Amino acid sequence: MAQKLEAPRRVPLSKDRVLRAAVALADGSGIESLSMRNLAEELGVVPMALYKHVANKEQLLDGMIDVVVGEIDPPVHGTDWKSTVRQRILSARQALLRHPWASQVVESKKNPTPMVLEYMDSMIGIFRAGGFSVNLTHHVMHTIGSRVLGFTQELFNDSRTVDPEMQEVMLREMGSKFPNVNAIAMAASHEEASVVGPGCDDQFEFEFALDLLLDGFERLLQRA
């Protein structure tokens, strides 16, 4: 008896599948390559099928951020507030290193996504459980800033590619006009593989600043 060959069953489209495919596309090709059309091609569907799960590209980006934030490790029970905060922030940084586009998208957002709010609420709760007052916690969260999500916002965006010869001319001019700035620029070296976003935010710089902040918070708590 001839056996009927069954066609492979297509995996149903869902919001989670759409978001994870978008994250994978951005990871592989960069956030600039992400469009509803490219994502639809990746999933093997028509673009209109995506709009049943995400209303527009802005909502798509929000969901992608929530996927990345969802990778941050939960708090480890039985540890003190300082260790817990440090562990979670460094876990957030590892998530950003896995998804190099994510910090750029976070910075472009005017409002936090639901998962970011949940994460922030949890971090505030860790400080409060550690003995920080509401007022001190407020100041602490402002001081940490973007570091709570694993990256340091740079004062200037130097992500533009500059011709090496032009860069040499610029450095010579800067050296004569701004010797102190030039001395720092020439002396600094960074581990490129651990940099998040544009600029100098490598792992050492990030942990250096984070530990200074946490030590300062600890002294403030002891004084209070």
Side-chain angles (χ1 to χ4, degrees):
M1 183 180 295
Q3 292 183 340
K4 187 184 292 184
L5 293 176
E6 292 186 6
R9 183 176 295 178
R10 178 177 290 182
V11 179
L13 201 61
S14 65
K15 184 174 182 179
D16 183 69
R17 187 177 168 221
V18 168
L19 295 178
R20 292 188 182 281
V23 167
L25 184 60
D27 288 347
S29 306
I31 196 67
E32 298 81 8
S33 69
L34 181 67
S35 68
M36 300 299 268
R37 183 176 297 277
N38 289 346
L39 180 57
E41 288 179 5
E42 191 73 19
L43 288 165
V45 299
V46 296
M48 286 305 296
L50 300 178
Y51 292 100
K52 296 179 181 177
H53 305 283
V54 287
N56 47 45
K57 188 175 178 181
E58 198 65 26
Q59 195 178 94
L60 176 67
L61 291 171
D62 285 348
M64 292 167 66
I65 289 299
D66 281 349
V67 169
V68 174
V69 174
E71 295 179 7
I72 300 173
D73 292 338
V76 177
H77 295 293
T79 56
D80 62 282
W81 69 266
K82 190 176 179 183
S83 300
T84 305
V85 168
R86 191 177 194 278
Q87 171 260 327
R88 293 205 82 197
I89 288 178
L90 292 182
S91 175
R93 184 172 179 83
Q94 289 304 307
L96 294 187
L97 286 170
R98 289 192 294 270
H99 309 289
W101 50 270
S103 62
Q104 177 186 339
V105 175
V106 168
E107 286 185 289
S108 72
K109 291 293 171 187
K110 293 181 180 178
N111 299 304
T113 67
M115 192 68 78
V116 169
L117 280 174
E118 184 178 321
Y119 171 69
M120 300 286 280
D121 188 78
S122 172
M123 293 298 279
I124 290 169
I126 293 168
F127 283 112
R128 295 287 290 119
F132 287 72
S133 67
V134 171
N135 191 49
L136 183 53
T137 303
H138 174 219
H139 296 318
V140 160
M141 293 299 289
H142 273 292
T143 305
I144 293 178
S146 66
R147 291 185 186 89
V148 76
L149 285 169
F151 70 102
T152 306
Q153 287 181 301
E154 295 287 347
L155 185 58
F156 303 107
N157 184 349
D158 60 354
S159 59
R160 293 175 300 171
T161 302
V162 180
D163 179 77
E165 291 184 7
M166 180 62 70
Q167 188 175 36
E168 188 175 340
V169 172
M170 290 166 60
L171 287 173
R172 280 203 303 269
E173 290 183 357
M174 189 168 69
S176 61
K177 293 179 181 178
F178 313 109
N180 296 315
V181 173
N182 188 62
I184 293 296
M186 296 298 290
S189 62
H190 300 284
E191 185 187 347
E192 293 299 326
S194 71
V195 172
V196 170
C200 305
D201 188 23
D202 70 0
Q203 192 69 21
F204 177 84
E205 296 286 4
F206 185 83
E207 292 192 33
F208 180 82
L210 177 61
D211 288 336
L212 282 178
L213 290 172
L214 293 178
D215 288 346
F217 299 158
E218 188 173 42
R219 286 196 293 272
L220 286 172
L221 180 63
Q222 290 168 352
R223 274 170 32 193

